[in-house]
């Protein structure tokens, strides 16, 4: 499902949207995670503008006082406080994109949740490095296998988060199929994690 710009009566309702996401069509087509998040965001909270030219941006609030332009910050804002945690609440979406930690991480409510949200940010930076070709994928997979030895997901949460999905999509964009199977041979924890992320 692709995000869309609303028209007619929906556009009238969207005047009260909390955020406006502007995304170039090529970037949206090339970024499955951005596409998923944009498509599950409520049209009553989010106005999505798909443009042919321009840059990714997320304008917060009706007055546009804050604008985010970095992809990872845009995704975290959409999944967290930008939409009042609507994409990180049980029952709102099939996933808890921030592991249910978003609301509890602010104002010192929960140090554990604050660390989880910081972990999501860190792992998304690792995913960016994989996408940009700056990470040694073989070394990363080996380190990830050890890290996942006592964890189900990259951030301590009961299900995959935005970080798991971002890292998974970055890895499979670089190598997939039999080539990926060969790279994770002997990395049982990474293999399990990859299967779980793919199923999500």
């Amino acid at each position: 499902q692709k995000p869309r710009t609303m028209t007619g009566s929906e556009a009238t309702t969207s005047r009260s949207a909390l955020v406006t996401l502007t995304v170039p069509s090529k970037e949206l087509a090339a970024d499955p995670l951005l596409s998923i998040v944009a498509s599950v965001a409520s049209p009553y909270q989010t106005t999505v503008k798909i443009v042919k030219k321009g840059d990714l941006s997320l304008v917060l609030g009706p007055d546009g006082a804050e604008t985010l332009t970095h992809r990872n910050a845009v995704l975290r804002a959409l999944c967290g406080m930008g939409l009042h945690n609507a994409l990180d609440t049980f029952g709102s979406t099939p996933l808890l994109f921030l592991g249910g930690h978003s609301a509890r991480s602010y104002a010192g409510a929960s140090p554990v949740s604050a660390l989880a949200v910081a972990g999501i940010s860190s792992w998304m930076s690792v995913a960016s490095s994989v996408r940009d070709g700056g990470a040694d994928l073989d070394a990363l997979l080996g380190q990830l296998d050890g890290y996942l030895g006592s964890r189900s997901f990259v951030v301590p949460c009961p299900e995959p988060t935005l970080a798991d999905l971002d890292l998974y999509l970055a890895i499979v964009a670089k190598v997939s199929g039999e080539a990926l199977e060969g790279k994770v041979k002997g990395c049982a924890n990474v293999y399990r994690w990859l299967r779980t992320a793919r199923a999500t």
Side-chain angles (χ1 to χ4, degrees):
Q1 180 181 356
K2 293 208 178 213
R4 58 188 167 72
T5 300
M6 292 178 285
T7 58
S9 62
E10 287 181 293
T12 303
T13 306
S14 73
R15 287 187 189 140
S16 63
L18 300 171
V19 299
T20 300
L21 174 66
T22 302
V23 60
S25 55
K26 285 184 180 181
E27 187 170 349
L28 189 63
D31 190 337
L33 188 56
L34 182 60
S35 182
I36 289 167
V37 171
S39 68
V40 298
S42 167
Y44 299 107
Q45 292 182 308
T46 311
T47 299
V48 178
K49 295 180 180 178
I50 302 170
V51 295
K52 290 187 181 209
K53 293 183 180 181
D55 296 316
L56 174 69
S57 68
L58 182 69
V59 177
L60 303 168
D63 58 358
E66 298 292 329
T67 301
L68 302 174
T69 57
H70 186 271
R71 173 201 179 264
N72 291 352
V74 166
L75 285 168
R76 286 190 307 273
L78 284 170
C79 294
M81 292 302 288
L83 299 179
H84 298 290
N85 308 311
L87 300 183
D88 195 41
T89 306
F90 284 106
S92 62
T93 63
L95 297 170
L96 292 176
F97 285 104
L98 298 176
H101 290 288
S102 181
R104 294 186 305 261
S105 69
Y106 294 94
S110 169
V112 171
S113 292
L115 287 172
V117 171
I120 289 169
S121 180
S122 295
W123 281 105
M124 290 180 75
S125 293
V126 171
S128 291
S129 183
V130 170
R131 266 192 307 281
D132 297 341
D136 177 350
L137 194 54
D138 291 326
L140 173 65
L141 291 172
Q143 291 171 346
L144 188 58
D145 193 60
Y147 181 80
L148 291 169
S150 61
R151 299 165 181 85
S152 297
F153 306 108
V154 296
V155 175
C157 293
E159 58 187 70
T161 65
L162 195 62
D164 292 283
L165 299 176
D166 200 20
L167 185 58
Y168 166 77
L169 291 167
I171 290 170
V172 299
K174 292 293 180 186
V175 62
S176 61
E178 289 181 19
L180 181 58
E181 293 281 336
K183 285 188 178 293
V184 299
K185 190 175 185 177
C187 296
N189 300 316
V190 171
Y191 182 77
R192 168 189 45 80
W193 173 79
L194 287 168
R195 289 184 62 208
T196 303
R198 181 178 54 230
T200 301

Short mmCIF file of all heavy atoms in Angstrom, two decimals, residues 160-192:
data_model
loop_
_atom_site.label_atom_id
_atom_site.label_comp_id
_atom_site.label_asym_id
_atom_site.label_seq_id
_atom_site.Cartn_x
_atom_site.Cartn_y
_atom_site.Cartn_z
N PRO A 160 9.96 -7.24 16.98
CA PRO A 160 10.87 -6.40 16.20
C PRO A 160 10.46 -4.93 16.24
O PRO A 160 9.27 -4.60 16.27
CB PRO A 160 10.73 -6.95 14.77
CG PRO A 160 10.12 -8.29 14.91
CD PRO A 160 9.32 -8.27 16.16
N THR A 161 11.45 -4.06 16.24
CA THR A 161 11.21 -2.62 16.23
C THR A 161 11.63 -2.05 14.88
O THR A 161 12.09 -2.77 13.99
CB THR A 161 12.04 -1.92 17.33
OG1 THR A 161 13.43 -2.08 17.02
CG2 THR A 161 11.72 -2.46 18.71
N LEU A 162 11.51 -0.75 14.78
CA LEU A 162 11.96 -0.02 13.60
C LEU A 162 13.43 -0.35 13.30
O LEU A 162 13.81 -0.49 12.14
CB LEU A 162 11.80 1.48 13.90
CG LEU A 162 11.85 2.49 12.79
CD1 LEU A 162 10.74 2.25 11.79
CD2 LEU A 162 11.73 3.89 13.36
N ALA A 163 14.24 -0.51 14.34
CA ALA A 163 15.66 -0.81 14.16
C ALA A 163 15.85 -2.18 13.52
O ALA A 163 16.68 -2.33 12.60
CB ALA A 163 16.38 -0.76 15.51
N ASP A 164 15.11 -3.19 13.97
CA ASP A 164 15.23 -4.52 13.37
C ASP A 164 14.84 -4.49 11.90
O ASP A 164 15.53 -5.05 11.05
CB ASP A 164 14.30 -5.51 14.10
CG ASP A 164 14.75 -5.79 15.51
OD1 ASP A 164 15.71 -6.55 15.69
OD2 ASP A 164 14.15 -5.22 16.44
N LEU A 165 13.72 -3.83 11.61
CA LEU A 165 13.25 -3.78 10.23
C LEU A 165 14.22 -3.00 9.35
O LEU A 165 14.51 -3.41 8.22
CB LEU A 165 11.86 -3.14 10.17
CG LEU A 165 10.78 -3.88 10.95
CD1 LEU A 165 9.48 -3.11 10.92
CD2 LEU A 165 10.59 -5.28 10.42
N ASP A 166 14.75 -1.89 9.86
CA ASP A 166 15.69 -1.08 9.08
C ASP A 166 16.97 -1.86 8.79
O ASP A 166 17.45 -1.89 7.65
CB ASP A 166 16.00 0.21 9.84
CG ASP A 166 16.55 1.30 8.96
OD1 ASP A 166 16.37 1.26 7.72
OD2 ASP A 166 17.16 2.24 9.50
N LEU A 167 17.52 -2.51 9.80
CA LEU A 167 18.75 -3.28 9.61
C LEU A 167 18.50 -4.47 8.69
O LEU A 167 19.31 -4.74 7.79
CB LEU A 167 19.31 -3.74 10.96
CG LEU A 167 20.65 -4.45 10.92
CD1 LEU A 167 21.73 -3.58 10.27
CD2 LEU A 167 21.08 -4.84 12.34
N TYR A 168 17.40 -5.17 8.88
CA TYR A 168 17.06 -6.30 8.01
C TYR A 168 16.97 -5.85 6.55
O TYR A 168 17.58 -6.46 5.66
CB TYR A 168 15.74 -6.94 8.46
CG TYR A 168 15.17 -7.87 7.42
CD1 TYR A 168 15.69 -9.15 7.25
CD2 TYR A 168 14.12 -7.47 6.60
CE1 TYR A 168 15.19 -10.01 6.27
CE2 TYR A 168 13.61 -8.31 5.63
CZ TYR A 168 14.14 -9.58 5.47
OH TYR A 168 13.64 -10.41 4.50
N LEU A 169 16.21 -4.78 6.30
CA LEU A 169 16.05 -4.29 4.92
C LEU A 169 17.36 -3.82 4.32
O LEU A 169 17.61 -4.00 3.12
CB LEU A 169 14.99 -3.19 4.87
CG LEU A 169 13.55 -3.67 5.14
CD1 LEU A 169 12.63 -2.49 5.38
CD2 LEU A 169 13.06 -4.55 4.00
N ALA A 170 18.23 -3.22 5.14
CA ALA A 170 19.54 -2.78 4.64
C ALA A 170 20.40 -3.98 4.25
O ALA A 170 21.07 -3.96 3.22
CB ALA A 170 20.24 -1.94 5.70
N ILE A 171 20.37 -5.02 5.07
CA ILE A 171 21.18 -6.23 4.79
C ILE A 171 20.68 -6.92 3.52
O ILE A 171 21.47 -7.23 2.63
CB ILE A 171 21.17 -7.19 5.99
CG1 ILE A 171 21.97 -6.59 7.15
CG2 ILE A 171 21.73 -8.56 5.60
CD1 ILE A 171 21.84 -7.33 8.47
N VAL A 172 19.37 -7.14 3.42
CA VAL A 172 18.86 -7.88 2.25
C VAL A 172 18.93 -7.05 0.97
O VAL A 172 18.88 -7.61 -0.12
CB VAL A 172 17.45 -8.46 2.48
CG1 VAL A 172 17.45 -9.45 3.62
CG2 VAL A 172 16.42 -7.38 2.67
N ALA A 173 19.05 -5.72 1.10
CA ALA A 173 19.26 -4.89 -0.09
C ALA A 173 20.67 -5.08 -0.64
O ALA A 173 20.91 -4.92 -1.84
CB ALA A 173 19.02 -3.42 0.22
N LYS A 174 21.61 -5.45 0.23
CA LYS A 174 23.01 -5.67 -0.18
C LYS A 174 23.26 -7.09 -0.65
O LYS A 174 24.00 -7.32 -1.60
CB LYS A 174 23.97 -5.34 0.97
CG LYS A 174 24.03 -3.88 1.31
CD LYS A 174 24.63 -3.09 0.17
CE LYS A 174 24.69 -1.63 0.49
NZ LYS A 174 25.12 -0.83 -0.63
N VAL A 175 22.66 -8.03 0.05
CA VAL A 175 22.87 -9.44 -0.29
C VAL A 175 21.63 -10.22 0.12
O VAL A 175 21.08 -10.00 1.19
CB VAL A 175 24.15 -10.00 0.38
CG1 VAL A 175 24.06 -9.95 1.88
CG2 VAL A 175 24.47 -11.40 -0.09
N SER A 176 21.18 -11.11 -0.75
CA SER A 176 19.98 -11.89 -0.43
C SER A 176 20.08 -13.26 -1.07
O SER A 176 21.07 -13.60 -1.72
CB SER A 176 18.72 -11.15 -0.90
OG SER A 176 18.76 -10.96 -2.31
N GLY A 177 19.04 -14.04 -0.88
CA GLY A 177 18.97 -15.36 -1.48
C GLY A 177 20.08 -16.27 -1.01
O GLY A 177 20.46 -16.29 0.16
N GLU A 178 20.63 -17.04 -1.95
CA GLU A 178 21.68 -18.01 -1.62
C GLU A 178 22.95 -17.35 -1.11
O GLU A 178 23.64 -17.89 -0.26
CB GLU A 178 21.98 -18.88 -2.84
CG GLU A 178 20.86 -19.86 -3.17
CD GLU A 178 21.19 -20.74 -4.36
OE1 GLU A 178 22.39 -20.86 -4.72
OE2 GLU A 178 20.25 -21.30 -4.94
N ALA A 179 23.24 -16.15 -1.62
CA ALA A 179 24.43 -15.45 -1.16
C ALA A 179 24.31 -15.10 0.32
O ALA A 179 25.27 -15.25 1.09
CB ALA A 179 24.65 -14.18 -1.98
N LEU A 180 23.14 -14.67 0.75
CA LEU A 180 22.92 -14.37 2.16
C LEU A 180 22.95 -15.65 2.98
O LEU A 180 23.53 -15.68 4.08
CB LEU A 180 21.59 -13.62 2.37
CG LEU A 180 21.27 -13.23 3.80
CD1 LEU A 180 22.36 -12.34 4.40
CD2 LEU A 180 19.92 -12.51 3.87
N GLU A 181 22.34 -16.69 2.48
CA GLU A 181 22.36 -17.98 3.18
C GLU A 181 23.81 -18.41 3.44
O GLU A 181 24.15 -18.89 4.51
CB GLU A 181 21.64 -19.06 2.36
CG GLU A 181 20.15 -18.85 2.22
CD GLU A 181 19.37 -19.27 3.46
OE1 GLU A 181 19.85 -20.11 4.24
OE2 GLU A 181 18.26 -18.73 3.64
N GLY A 182 24.66 -18.22 2.44
CA GLY A 182 26.07 -18.58 2.60
C GLY A 182 26.77 -17.73 3.64
O GLY A 182 27.61 -18.23 4.40
N LYS A 183 26.44 -16.45 3.69
CA LYS A 183 27.07 -15.55 4.66
C LYS A 183 26.66 -15.85 6.09
O LYS A 183 27.43 -15.64 7.02
CB LYS A 183 26.75 -14.09 4.32
CG LYS A 183 27.52 -13.55 3.15
CD LYS A 183 27.31 -12.06 3.00
CE LYS A 183 28.11 -11.49 1.86
NZ LYS A 183 29.55 -11.53 2.07
N VAL A 184 25.43 -16.32 6.29
CA VAL A 184 24.97 -16.57 7.66
C VAL A 184 25.09 -18.03 8.07
O VAL A 184 24.68 -18.39 9.17
CB VAL A 184 23.52 -16.06 7.89
CG1 VAL A 184 23.45 -14.56 7.67
CG2 VAL A 184 22.51 -16.80 7.05
N LYS A 185 25.67 -18.83 7.19
CA LYS A 185 25.90 -20.23 7.54
C LYS A 185 26.79 -20.27 8.78
O LYS A 185 27.84 -19.64 8.83
CB LYS A 185 26.57 -20.96 6.38
CG LYS A 185 26.63 -22.45 6.56
CD LYS A 185 27.20 -23.11 5.32
CE LYS A 185 27.12 -24.61 5.49
NZ LYS A 185 27.58 -25.28 4.29
N GLY A 186 26.35 -20.95 9.80
CA GLY A 186 27.10 -21.00 11.04
C GLY A 186 26.74 -19.87 12.00
O GLY A 186 27.26 -19.80 13.11
N CYS A 187 25.88 -18.95 11.57
CA CYS A 187 25.43 -17.84 12.44
C CYS A 187 23.95 -18.09 12.76
O CYS A 187 23.06 -17.43 12.23
CB CYS A 187 25.60 -16.49 11.73
SG CYS A 187 27.29 -16.04 11.38
N ALA A 188 23.71 -19.05 13.64
CA ALA A 188 22.33 -19.47 13.94
C ALA A 188 21.48 -18.33 14.47
O ALA A 188 20.29 -18.24 14.17
CB ALA A 188 22.35 -20.63 14.93
N ASN A 189 22.07 -17.44 15.27
CA ASN A 189 21.29 -16.35 15.85
C ASN A 189 20.88 -15.32 14.79
O ASN A 189 19.75 -14.83 14.80
CB ASN A 189 22.08 -15.67 16.96
CG ASN A 189 22.42 -16.63 18.08
OD1 ASN A 189 21.59 -17.41 18.52
ND2 ASN A 189 23.67 -16.61 18.52
N VAL A 190 21.79 -15.03 13.87
CA VAL A 190 21.46 -14.11 12.79
C VAL A 190 20.42 -14.75 11.87
O VAL A 190 19.47 -14.08 11.45
CB VAL A 190 22.71 -13.70 11.98
CG1 VAL A 190 22.33 -12.92 10.72
CG2 VAL A 190 23.65 -12.87 12.84
N TYR A 191 20.58 -16.03 11.59
CA TYR A 191 19.63 -16.73 10.74
C TYR A 191 18.22 -16.65 11.35
O TYR A 191 17.25 -16.33 10.66
CB TYR A 191 20.06 -18.18 10.56
CG TYR A 191 19.16 -18.97 9.64
CD1 TYR A 191 19.24 -18.82 8.27
CD2 TYR A 191 18.21 -19.86 10.17
CE1 TYR A 191 18.40 -19.53 7.42
CE2 TYR A 191 17.38 -20.57 9.33
CZ TYR A 191 17.48 -20.40 7.96
OH TYR A 191 16.64 -21.10 7.13
N ARG A 192 18.10 -16.93 12.65
CA ARG A 192 16.81 -16.86 13.35
C ARG A 192 16.25 -15.45 13.27
O ARG A 192 15.07 -15.25 12.96
CB ARG A 192 16.98 -17.28 14.81
CG ARG A 192 15.80 -16.99 15.71
CD ARG A 192 16.09 -17.21 17.19
NE ARG A 192 17.35 -16.69 17.69
CZ ARG A 192 17.58 -15.43 18.01
NH1 ARG A 192 16.66 -14.52 17.85
NH2 ARG A 192 18.76 -15.06 18.49
#
